[in-house]
Amino acid sequence: MKVLKKLESLGFSAYEAKAYYALLRRFPANGYEISKLAQIPPSKIYEVLTKLKNRGAVLDSQSEPVLYYPVQPKILFTRIQEETDKSIQSVLTDLTAIPPMDAFDLTWNLQGTDSIDAKMCELLGQARKEVFASLWPEQVALLNSALTAAVNRGVYVVAAIFGECDVTASQVINLEVCSHNVYQRVGAKLCTIIADDTEVVIGKLAEDSSHSTGVWTKTPSLVLVTKEYVRHDIMVNVLVNHIGQEQYADICRSYDILRQLQR
């Protein structure tokens, strides 16, 4: 019966809903009569009626035999509604007063080139002060509008690109000279965007875009390390351009650690 289910949704037990409904149909009534009409076991009926009385849903006659009367629905549920409204307001007040927790680390795994690029666009759209980006030319076509919007908002954007392309940024560094070594070392195209020194997307782009993987995180140590990685690439690129490829190759051949790092 639908009305019984509705009563249960308001906090009545199944037996309480049956007893109250039965008493509305016939009152006054004693416990035995209510038990029979509501199809509640006689051993349970007085416990159920006591709970209904405590809930304010029934009254008893205080006579022998004890007779029970239902509190009329309009009176009962107006009171329940008022009490519920007060409880909700009290809870809202308490919850509103809860102090926020200190920032905690978040990390999401990203699967596929599209999800990596989409999260990068999101970071660019939220950036307010500074962006460091290390990207490949094929990504720039998708991200350049977001980069342009960030620059137009006054965000300082450093874009290190592994190849020649048209890109909007405050500073653009062509890392094409490094691109072959990067791809040769890791077998994939690494990319990243760091926004406001607070969050970062790191991507590993595969030939099959569905196999690309990445992470988005606010973990401070990872944000710092990734920004330092981009800064390192930029500084090495400036150094190589200044001294020339041949001299740089000579330096690398002269130091075992540099040969190891280039593998």
Side-chain angles (χ1 to χ4, degrees), residues 1-213:
M1 190 177 296
K2 288 184 178 180
V3 69
L4 297 180
K5 291 295 182 183
K6 291 179 181 178
L7 286 170
E8 289 179 40
S9 71
L10 293 172
F12 285 68
S13 70
Y15 281 165
E16 288 170 357
K18 287 181 178 180
Y20 181 69
Y21 181 78
L23 201 52
L24 284 172
R25 294 177 61 198
R26 178 178 174 179
F27 65 88
N30 59 36
Y32 173 77
E33 293 170 331
I34 299 169
S35 170
K36 187 175 180 180
L37 184 60
Q39 297 182 338
I40 297 172
S43 61
K44 295 285 187 181
I45 190 61
Y46 291 102
E47 177 186 348
V48 172
L49 289 169
T50 297
K51 290 181 178 179
L52 285 172
K53 182 180 175 182
N54 293 339
R55 185 188 286 275
V58 302
L59 303 171
D60 58 33
S61 66
Q62 300 293 316
S63 61
E64 289 295 337
V66 178
L67 298 176
Y68 294 89
Y69 300 80
V71 173
Q72 290 302 305
K74 187 172 182 179
I75 296 173
L76 172 63
F77 288 102
T78 296
R79 177 174 54 78
I80 289 176
Q81 184 175 24
E82 291 172 352
E83 291 174 353
T84 301
D85 288 343
K86 288 180 181 178
S87 295
I88 290 173
Q89 288 303 316
S90 177
V91 169
L92 284 174
T93 299
D94 292 343
L95 293 178
T96 303
I98 294 175
M101 292 178 63
D102 292 336
F104 58 97
D105 296 348
L106 289 174
T107 300
W108 289 353
N109 291 322
L110 303 171
Q111 186 65 46
T113 300
D114 288 347
S115 64
I116 293 170
D117 289 341
K119 195 63 180 175
M120 285 183 166
C121 278
E122 184 179 323
L123 260 63
L124 290 170
Q126 295 171 351
R128 292 294 174 264
K129 296 179 180 179
E130 180 187 78
V131 165
F132 270 70
S134 178
L135 304 169
W136 294 80
E138 60 266 33
Q139 290 180 286
V140 173
L142 296 170
L143 300 178
N144 200 40
S145 61
L147 288 164
T148 302
V151 171
N152 290 340
R153 292 197 308 275
V155 179
Y156 184 74
V157 177
V158 177
I161 312 298
F162 291 103
E164 187 68 39
C165 67
D166 292 327
V167 58
T168 303
S170 309
Q171 293 286 339
V172 179
I173 299 90
N174 188 336
L175 296 182
E176 188 170 6
V177 68
C178 305
S179 61
H180 178 70
N181 288 338
V182 171
Y183 189 77
Q184 192 174 41
R185 282 202 313 274
V186 300
K189 296 180 177 181
L190 298 179
C191 58
T192 187
I193 282 184
I194 306 107
D196 296 331
D197 287 337
T198 59
E199 54 186 314
V200 60
V201 173
I202 305 168
K204 181 180 179 183
L205 306 179
E207 291 293 336
D208 182 343
S209 62
S210 64
H211 292 165
S212 298
T213 58

